Amino acid sequence: MKSFKEYAREIILRRRQIRNLSEADITKNKEFSRSGLNRWMFSGRDPVNCSSRYYSSHFNVRHTGELTNKVLRNIPEFVKIVEVGPRDGLQNEKGIVPTAVKVELIKMLVASGLPVVEATSFVSPKWVPQLADAKDVMQEIRDINSARFPVLTPNLKGFEAAVAAGAKEVAIFASASESFSKSNINCSIEDSLIRYYDVVLAAKKLSIPVRGYISCVVGCPVEGKVPPSQVAYVAKELYEMGCSEISLGDTIGVGTPGTVIPMLEAVIEVVPIDKLAVHFHDTYGQALSNILASLQIGIATVDSSVSGLGGCPYAKGASGNVATEDVVYMLNGLGVKTNVDIRKLILAGDFICRHLGRTSLAKAAVALSKVNACVSKL
């Protein structure tokens, strides 16, 4: 047991360490605090007491032991993140976000290094008025060549409007649940696949890639549990009609690794794993664990939304998507490359949250901001 004097001596030494922080470090911190971020919060300062001990989410040495090898051996070296915030996130907002704000958000997301940003949707404004400015958004980002901007197209009419607006990549959305398909797109699964075949055929003629979404891959707000075989059936149909990538979505966020893994195993039997992506909502706080399980199987594409924006207007109880900031932080800790600068990503999240008048749902962003606030007081 340490005496009171020994504890007091340690506290005094700790305070001296903090006071002896170099003037250069403090100046550097003040420079970045003006924009809400600073280098210190990403350089490894202790998030609890802001001491001189260093931490980092980056895992620099992979496969360091037998146990590590068993856990991480199938995780890809690089993971592509598909940012869905500007579309899947903002479509769920009650208010209409101005076009200029959407465009600025997209530019900030691209500046962070995200390779794919789902820009908008060419769904009828009657059903999704929040994205009625799709044509205007596409016009403003037409000259950005450093990222891809897929847009959602529900039918051939939407596809033609997207192409006319300059879209170079589109996405279609089916469901693994019959009930949800009827409530979301007003038709059965089979009818939706027939509709999408026409879209894919038209896209092929123009050499436009088509991404396929499947919703309710583990659970449905109406039917409950969704059989993996049903997900595999829809995925196979989309792949065989020509979809270049298929995103498997847990629309209401009920999945756990125990339900996600059997679903993935069933789909991998009929669709090559390199053609698959995962899309998890965080309703029950399971999104990151589900992503990790997917990575361990070999999935290398993950959908996410800046600041955890989103939900589904047609799925009762569906909360936001998993936050891109949290996904990047976890991947950094696994030693997985994403080419995404988390500092710039948090700035983008802060920008849209300020406009929406809310705090970020990204736990990593909130925690790192607290570190920043702590250091700024020194």
Side-chain angles (χ1 to χ4, degrees):
M1 296 288 292
K2 294 182 179 179
S3 67
F4 174 78
K5 289 184 178 180
E6 288 175 323
Y7 275 117
R9 187 179 296 110
E10 288 186 1
I11 292 172
I12 292 171
L13 289 173
R14 177 69 68 187
R15 288 177 177 173
R16 284 178 181 173
Q17 288 178 341
I18 294 174
R19 285 199 302 269
N20 289 335
L21 291 170
S22 71
E23 186 175 345
D25 280 340
I26 294 175
T27 301
K28 184 184 298 183
N29 175 60
K30 288 180 178 178
E31 290 175 3
F32 279 88
S33 64
R34 295 190 188 101
S35 64
L37 291 172
N38 58 69
R39 298 187 193 279
W40 273 42
M41 76 189 246
F42 304 103
S43 67
R45 296 292 174 177
D46 190 307
V48 178
N49 57 26
C50 302
S51 75
S52 58
R53 289 183 296 147
Y54 283 82
Y55 79 99
S56 174
S57 71
H58 287 272
F59 180 43
N60 294 320
V61 182
R62 304 183 74 194
H63 312 276
T64 56
E66 184 178 350
L67 179 59
T68 304
N69 184 55
K70 288 181 179 179
V71 175
L72 303 181
R73 62 186 174 190
N74 291 328
I75 291 181
E77 296 284 341
F78 176 85
V79 166
K80 178 181 71 177
I81 295 179
V82 176
E83 171 60 50
V84 300
R87 195 279 301 177
D88 196 21
L90 298 184
Q91 75 170 8
N92 206 46
E93 293 299 316
K94 293 182 179 180
I96 305 297
V97 177
T99 302
V101 174
K102 294 177 182 176
V103 171
E104 183 61 23
L105 173 62
I106 291 171
K107 290 180 178 179
M108 294 180 76
L109 292 169
V110 173
S112 75
L114 288 162
V116 184
V117 179
E118 193 177 49
T120 186
S121 171
F122 284 83
V123 175
S124 171
K126 176 183 177 181
W127 301 110
V128 187
Q130 296 87 343
L131 302 180
D133 59 350
K135 181 180 178 181
D136 297 329
V137 170
M138 295 303 292
Q139 176 72 14
E140 292 298 320
I141 64 174
R142 67 188 185 282
D143 295 328
I144 302 176
N145 299 315
S146 53
R148 294 157 46 201
F149 301 110
V151 299
L152 209 62
T153 55
N155 48 40
L156 194 56
K157 181 179 179 180
F159 171 78
E160 291 170 347
V163 172
K168 299 178 181 178
E169 186 172 344
V170 300
I172 54 179
F173 48 101
S175 174
S177 159
E178 195 69 56
S179 299
F180 189 74
S181 180
K182 291 177 180 178
S183 65
N184 188 33
I185 54 179
N186 299 310
C187 67
S188 67
I189 293 175
E190 289 301 323
D191 287 342
S192 73
L193 292 174
I194 294 172
R195 177 189 301 175
Y196 294 141
Y197 181 81
D198 293 335
V199 175
V200 174
L201 187 61
K204 283 182 178 180
K205 293 178 180 179
L206 297 174
S207 299
I208 292 178
V210 180
R211 189 180 209 235
Y213 283 100
I214 304 178
S215 56
C216 298
V217 297
V218 289
C220 167
V222 179
E223 298 179 9
K225 184 179 179 181
V226 174
S229 58
Q230 181 67 11
V231 184
Y233 167 74
V234 178
K236 182 181 179 181
E237 291 294 313
L238 291 175
Y239 176 66
E240 291 185 345
M241 75 170 63
C243 285
S244 59
E245 187 171 82
I246 297 169
S247 177
L248 305 167
D250 180 12
T251 310
I252 55 175
V254 295
T256 67
T259 54
V260 167
I261 291 174
M263 179 273 295
L264 288 174
E265 289 175 337
V267 175
I268 291 169
E269 288 292 321
V270 294
V271 178
I273 193 169
D274 62 341
K275 300 295 183 181
L276 298 176
V278 289
H279 182 123
F280 293 111
H281 287 235
D282 205 30
T283 312
Y284 290 85
Q286 299 297 299
L288 286 179
S289 61
N290 290 335
I291 290 173
L292 179 58
S294 303
L295 296 175
Q296 289 171 319
I297 290 176
I299 299 293
T301 301
V302 175
D303 296 358
S304 59
S305 177
V306 64
S307 296
L309 297 176
C312 179
Y314 301 103
K316 186 177 180 180
S319 65
N321 295 282
V322 64
T324 308
E325 299 93 323
D326 293 342
V327 174
V328 172
Y329 187 86
M330 182 183 75
L331 292 175
N332 285 346
L334 291 169
V336 176
K337 294 180 181 179
T338 62
N339 294 334
V340 178
D341 185 330
I342 195 170
R343 298 171 296 180
K344 295 180 179 179
L345 180 60
I346 292 176
L347 281 175
D350 181 66
F351 167 78
I352 191 61
C353 285
R354 285 178 184 275
H355 176 80
L356 296 174
R358 68 178 64 162
T359 57
S360 174
L361 295 178
K363 291 181 173 60
V366 173
L368 290 171
S369 295
K370 288 181 179 179
V371 175
N372 174 59
C374 180
V375 175
S376 297
K377 295 178 181 179
L378 296 178

